[in-house]
Amino acid sequence: MTAAQKPLKLGCSYGVRFSPDGTRLAVLGRDLVLWDVAARTKLWRGKFIAHMSGMAFSPDGGRLAIKSTTGQLAVVDAGAGQLLVNFQNKKDGEGCGPAWSPCGRYLADGGWDGRLRVRDAQTGEALFTQVHPGEMLRGVCAIDGGRRLLVQHGVKSVDEGQVQPPDYCSVWDWPLQDGGGRRVLSLPGLKSCAPSPDGAYLAVLHHAGGTEFLSMYALADGHCLAKVAVEAGGGTGNGLRWLSDGSALGRVGKGKLLFYGWPGLGVLAQKDFIYPCALDFLPGSPLAAIGSWESGMLMDLNLHKETA
């Protein structure tokens, strides 16, 4: 039996993401750092745009798309650690994403202004824009291996005396077309969501009546399959991330990480952690990358073994 390796310190890390083949780990902090997972060595470090806040590997793992808090997008060569293209779109404003198309030619992202955009990943040219008046797009992520796109919609505040519409999620097929998004779930108090690896389920954190819940819905018809009350998060304590085999999902809580089994949403494990803010799992391995505002870690998390 191979002994577990010691945790690897990642430093201040707002985001963590394993490459599609699991050989690399991208860590987004003050700089963007790429690690060799097996060797546990840094391959490169770069600061390609200011105030980086989001990232995504291309389907082949050869490029990294990054987005800033101003909405600016850029694409980096993941092998060489060199900037390939800067979209020069600072005026688009803050938002969510990016997410790649399955062919790797296009990038989608959302804005706090309610705009869903698709751009050419080589030139930055905007090829598609769908405006959602009165909304802010809080999340954009790929599902079904990138074949579909999940968008989380937050409805902005309404005038006094008016009823606040529920937040909702929509699913889009590539290529994106005007009016092509299909609403799959409407839910007041929607905080965050995470589609399962096979695209069958949608895990949702939401609040109602002063209580926070973790619920599971069927993506096909929006049917609620399970619902459990959970401890309220704080700060960035709303992030959700599935294990690659769909057997559990992790949640970024307040000063801790919580892990829930599926089906059932029973608590598998809890791990105290200082200022956690991001989470990702290496497929077929107990390795997990944990982002933290103070110091992230690459470490073993044998969730099922601990509870066997």
Side-chain angles (χ1 to χ4, degrees):
M1 181 179 295
T2 303
Q5 290 182 289
K6 292 182 179 180
L8 174 67
K9 293 183 179 181
L10 301 174
C12 179
S13 41
Y14 316 139
V16 288
R17 188 68 74 233
F18 287 106
S19 61
D21 64 3
T23 63
R24 304 288 186 262
L25 171 65
V27 177
L28 188 63
R30 296 178 183 89
D31 299 326
L32 179 61
V33 181
L34 194 72
W35 290 82
D36 183 302
V37 174
R40 299 199 168 203
T41 56
K42 292 179 184 177
L43 296 173
W44 50 258
R45 174 191 294 269
K47 191 166 188 173
F48 306 99
I49 55 176
H51 311 299
M52 294 177 289
S53 61
M55 64 177 172
F57 273 103
S58 62
D60 65 0
R63 290 164 294 163
L64 270 163
I66 50 178
K67 186 173 181 177
S68 76
T69 55
T70 66
Q72 187 174 3
L73 283 158
V75 178
V76 176
D77 185 316
Q82 296 179 346
L83 183 67
L84 293 174
V85 58
N86 184 331
F87 290 5
Q88 303 291 348
N89 63 313
K90 291 181 181 180
K91 294 183 179 180
D92 286 345
E94 192 169 1
C96 58
W100 291 85
S101 67
C103 64
R105 294 177 58 189
Y106 310 108
L107 278 168
D109 75 311
W112 292 169
D113 60 0
R115 296 178 188 272
L116 176 64
R117 295 182 176 91
V118 175
R119 296 177 169 91
D120 186 301
Q122 290 186 314
T123 66
E125 179 187 0
L127 304 174
F128 169 85
T129 301
Q130 177 76 63
V131 182
H132 299 85
E135 298 181 6
M136 59 187 303
L137 304 186
R138 295 177 177 168
V140 172
C141 65
I143 53 178
D144 286 350
R147 290 183 291 275
R148 293 185 294 164
L149 194 70
L150 179 81
V151 180
Q152 182 182 337
H153 303 250
V155 180
K156 293 182 179 179
S157 298
V158 298
D159 295 334
E160 185 176 353
Q162 293 185 333
V163 177
Q164 178 81 15
D167 302 324
Y168 68 99
C169 294
S170 63
V171 171
W172 300 70
D173 294 317
W174 287 98
L176 275 59
Q177 298 178 354
D178 289 337
R182 176 175 62 91
R183 188 177 298 211
V184 293
L185 174 68
S186 295
L187 193 67
L190 179 61
K191 288 189 171 184
S192 63
C193 57
S196 62
D198 61 3
Y201 308 111
L202 185 66
V204 176
L205 273 172
H206 59 105
H207 59 86
T211 302
E212 188 157 323
F213 296 95
L214 174 62
S215 299
M216 192 71 71
Y217 290 84
L219 257 179
D221 58 10
H223 179 66
C224 185
L225 304 171
K227 179 180 179 181
V228 295
V230 296
E231 178 184 349
T236 54
N238 295 315
L240 291 170
R241 187 73 178 173
W242 284 84
L243 269 70
S244 60
D245 63 1
S247 65
L249 66 154
R251 175 196 171 194
V252 177
K254 187 177 181 180
K256 67 185 74 172
L257 300 170
L258 295 155
F259 302 92
Y260 304 87
W262 181 250
L265 295 180
V267 177
L268 290 176
Q270 174 181 314
K271 182 173 180 59
D272 293 335
F273 209 86
I274 300 175
Y275 306 131
C277 59
L279 186 62
D280 200 16
F281 299 99
L282 182 66
S285 165
L287 271 179
I290 304 168
S292 165
W293 298 108
E294 183 171 275
S295 183
M297 292 282 185
L298 177 65
M299 61 190 302
D300 286 332
L301 289 177
N302 292 291
L303 302 178
H304 298 292
K305 186 176 181 179
E306 291 172 3
T307 57

